Amino acid sequence: MKICLKIVSGHFYGDNGKMKEYHYTGPVEHRFSPYSFNGGTVLAVAGEDFAIVASDTRLSEGYSIHSRDSPKCYKLTNTTVIGCSGFHGDCLTLTKIIDARLKMYKHSNNKSMTSGAIAAMLSTILYGRRFFPYYVYNIIGGLDEEGKGAVYSFDPVGSYQRDTYKAGGSASAMLQPLLDNQIGFKNMEGVQHLPLNQEKAVQLVKDVFISAAERDVYTGDALRICIVTKEGIKEETVPLRKD
Amino acid sequence: MALASVLQSESVDFSNYGRQRHGFASGLYEAELGLESVGGDRLSFALSTSCSNEDGPDRKIEFLHGTTTLAFKFQHGVIVAVDSRATAGSYIASQTVKKVIEINPYLLGTMAGGAADCSFWERLLARQCRVYELRNKERISVAAASKLLANMVYQYKGMGLSMGTMVCGWDKTGPGLYYVDSEGNRVCGDLFAVGSGSMYAYGIVDSGLKQKDLTVEEACDLGRRAIYQATYRDAYSGGQVNLYHVHSEGWTRVSQSDVLMLHQQYQAEKA
């Protein structure tokens, strides 16, 4: 499995991440790539009776920023929000497809899809494109049938599992360890495992994104937080570093 | 193809184009775990492009993949033990992956390779097993179930599926254990270990199985120990050890133990 640490417009980087010589001679195969990487970070946390889905709002490509106001959370139902990061074109198409499928389900079954059902459906939608994947990292946050918070995280081809918290997107490797420590109490001894309440969770999400914006070029501008409770979905916007 | 019948695929078939998955990921979470099939025998005259870290069948660099799964038959059935780590390169994507898929109450499948491939095809296998039950009014045998899975993925041979799974169950001929992978292999056996940590696991199980007639307790301990030792030495395996026992009534989830706890327990026993 690989990690591609170079940026998308990396004409100057060779296979192993070292700078290539500028005077490279010889045939080079150029090929149209149907994908591009638009950055962005998504985070979801599940609480006892709430779920939070948060994303930054920066849309980038290479060295440029296309938009500072392009949130990556999409409301699916009254109890479910999805966060999609990766290639923006696929994010848009995927959310359109999910919306259509939700509508079809509602018309044939006369009820809204539950979070778990949406997650299972998304898995098959993603796997349907197993040989030309949607380049999207999805995280679904919502309430399950018992009213408890649920988070489902996906890989681009549809493998998924239910979590308590998950970070996805460009700054995921920076955020996930922090969440492991603060929410999962991992690698801490002698600490009381206090359950997370909504105010603390929201504050934690804000702090964590501020940190991500410091160190990840693709994350910043603003933070959009969607809080899902049985009363409905509340949205909050918090400014982040714009540089 | 089987895939198209399950999903009303409205998208164009890009299967020729999409052979090489382009990963520009600086996001990392492809959740590949376990054994990757050796698809590197195909000749390729194309020069490697600048983003040649490709995972498609033309892959030149062999990656060892992170997982340890094992299963062995013994007198009282089959023990299935797995770790729970999923890695994407050197990033640990998850420490709580369920690598044992419960196909039905008496059949289990393990997961190694591409997580989505394993869970999707085994879920499809569950559907096929249920259809078999309804048509034939009896449970499907482990041999037949593993054959169904092997035939399903054989249609996609060479297209880049990555799946190394063990189908374990109990049918009217007794305990059954088959290894099936996306290359088309399907072998019956008494003991299999799959993944980057498999060699370490084999060492433990081979030495522990010398004595005949293990009790259920001893067999469970052996399976747990084998996975623990594999996670100890293999960087790509870790998390928790999930242990299942398949017996004549079906399967039971025996335990889920965190590897750190096991480590402290074994250290204490040594002292």
Side-chain angles (χ1 to χ4, degrees):
Chain A
M1 193 50 234
K2 79 264 178 241
I3 297 183
C4 224
L5 286 171
K6 57 188 183 211
I7 54 173
V8 170
S9 66
H11 305 297
F12 310 109
Y13 285 82
D15 303 336
N16 52 8
K18 299 215 189 97
M19 291 279 270
K20 255 204 275 198
E21 293 123 35
Y22 284 81
H23 48 273
Y24 174 72
T25 51
V28 177
E29 186 185 331
H30 290 284
R31 207 171 162 171
F32 166 69
S33 168
Y35 295 118
S36 91
F37 181 65
N38 295 112
T41 306
V42 182
L43 165 53
V45 178
E48 187 56 46
D49 57 352
F50 66 92
I52 295 175
V53 181
S55 75
D56 72 323
T57 62
R58 173 175 288 180
L59 190 73
S60 19
E61 184 169 354
Y63 287 109
S64 320
I65 295 178
H66 286 315
S67 166
R68 295 195 191 273
D69 185 21
S70 168
K72 290 151 193 73
C73 323
Y74 302 90
K75 176 173 166 252
L76 296 179
T77 65
N78 279 337
T79 54
T80 318
V81 176
I82 189 171
C84 312
S85 67
F87 169 45
H88 190 65
D90 277 346
C91 295
L92 292 176
T93 305
L94 188 61
T95 45
K96 285 202 184 102
I97 290 178
I98 297 174
D99 280 334
R101 292 283 295 267
L102 284 175
K103 232 179 245 178
M104 283 159 58
Y105 183 96
K106 185 114 192 246
H107 286 139
S108 17
N109 299 88
N110 201 25
K111 68 181 186 112
S112 299
M113 272 187 107
T114 58
S115 296
I118 296 177
M121 178 184 76
L122 179 57
S123 172
T124 44
I125 292 175
L126 291 170
Y127 200 82
R129 290 267 298 251
R130 168 66 175 77
F131 300 111
F132 182 17
Y134 290 109
Y135 180 27
V136 189
Y137 296 94
N138 295 291
I139 306 185
I140 288 181
L143 301 176
D144 65 10
E145 281 119 320
E146 298 166 17
K148 296 207 178 92
V151 165
Y152 297 91
S153 59
F154 293 78
D155 83 341
V157 276
S159 157
Y160 78 106
Q161 62 172 51
R162 185 169 172 177
D163 292 309
T164 319
Y165 54 87
K166 193 74 180 175
S170 54
S172 59
M174 290 179 214
L175 297 185
Q176 190 66 30
L178 189 49
L179 298 176
D180 282 335
N181 182 270
Q182 291 295 307
I183 306 182
F185 302 104
K186 299 275 172 69
N187 299 307
M188 292 217 280
E189 296 200 18
V191 189
Q192 238 188 329
H193 283 15
L194 295 161
L196 203 60
N197 67 16
Q198 192 175 318
E199 289 76 36
K200 272 225 321 233
V202 173
Q203 191 51 50
L204 183 65
V205 166
K206 290 178 184 166
D207 291 338
V208 136
F209 263 91
I210 290 169
S211 309
E214 290 288 320
R215 290 291 181 174
D216 180 37
V217 301
Y218 293 113
T219 305
D221 293 331
L223 166 65
R224 175 72 65 91
I225 307 183
C226 301
I227 306 167
V228 187
T229 51
K230 61 179 195 301
E231 275 88 48
I233 300 181
K234 208 159 44 108
E235 287 188 8
E236 232 184 280
T237 308
V238 170
L240 292 175
R241 290 184 74 112
K242 293 183 171 28
D243 59 359
Chain B
M1 284 200 172
L3 196 60
S5 70
V6 171
L7 312 143
Q8 285 118 13
S9 178
E10 50 309 277
S11 56
V12 181
D13 179 28
F14 274 103
S15 55
N16 289 318
Y17 175 88
R19 294 281 167 113
Q20 293 161 317
R21 263 201 268 143
H22 293 258
F24 282 94
S26 57
L28 322 146
Y29 181 17
E30 201 94 76
E32 297 268 316
L33 31 95
L35 181 69
E36 198 90 20
S37 46
V38 181
D41 297 326
R42 305 162 113 235
L43 284 177
S44 167
F45 291 106
L47 286 166
S48 32
T49 57
S50 52
C51 185
S52 62
N53 307 3
E54 310 228 343
D55 260 9
D58 300 318
R59 185 168 19 102
K60 286 138 199 108
I61 311 164
E62 274 309 305
F63 293 100
L64 291 174
H65 300 281
T67 218
T68 313
T69 59
L70 74 86
F72 61 88
K73 278 192 211 170
F74 72 117
Q75 195 192 4
H76 300 284
V78 189
I79 293 288
V80 182
V82 300
D83 76 320
S84 68
R85 177 174 287 187
T87 50
S90 61
Y91 178 66
I92 296 174
S94 173
Q95 292 267 58
T96 53
V97 180
K98 300 252 170 334
K99 295 190 189 179
V100 175
I101 292 154
E102 296 153 9
I103 297 171
N104 62 38
Y106 54 94
L107 269 183
L108 291 176
T110 60
M111 185 201 284
D117 291 333
C118 291
S119 54
F120 182 85
W121 290 108
E122 291 185 21
R123 202 169 151 213
L124 210 51
L125 176 64
R127 197 183 93 152
Q128 289 299 100
C129 290
R130 179 71 185 129
V131 169
Y132 179 99
E133 260 180 40
L134 290 168
R135 285 181 178 150
N136 301 91
K137 286 198 185 165
E138 67 167 10
R139 281 180 178 181
I140 192 171
S141 63
V142 186
S146 59
K147 193 89 180 211
L148 280 175
L149 181 62
N151 290 343
M152 279 195 281
V153 294
Y154 186 73
Q155 292 184 301
Y156 293 88
K157 183 171 162 75
M159 291 172 77
L161 287 187
S162 163
M163 189 189 81
T165 181
M166 296 179 286
V167 181
C168 327
W170 187 292
D171 56 30
K172 53 182 189 266
T173 60
L177 175 57
Y178 282 81
Y179 167 72
V180 177
D181 74 15
S182 48
E183 289 297 285
N185 287 317
R186 174 181 164 266
V187 246
C188 181
D190 290 337
L191 160 65
F192 292 108
V194 180
S196 55
S198 60
M199 293 301 130
Y200 307 111
Y202 271 130
I204 304 293
V205 182
D206 283 334
S207 53
L209 272 184
K210 280 229 183 86
Q211 359 128 276
K212 276 283 132 189
D213 301 351
L214 290 173
T215 65
V216 177
E217 194 59 44
E218 284 169 350
C220 289
D221 282 340
L222 184 62
R224 207 176 290 123
R225 189 77 198 230
I227 297 288
Y228 160 74
Q229 293 297 151
T231 62
Y232 189 73
R233 281 293 177 178
D234 178 30
Y236 288 87
S237 303
Q240 293 132 14
V241 181
N242 285 313
L243 195 69
Y244 286 71
H245 173 215
V246 188
H247 45 80
S248 52
E249 319 290 302
W251 55 259
T252 352
R253 180 131 185 247
V254 173
S255 67
Q256 178 185 18
S257 345
D258 189 288
V259 163
L260 182 59
M261 300 297 152
L262 282 180
H263 179 75
Q264 287 161 353
Q265 181 194 322
Y266 293 134
Q267 290 293 91
E269 279 169 19
K270 249 200 262 180

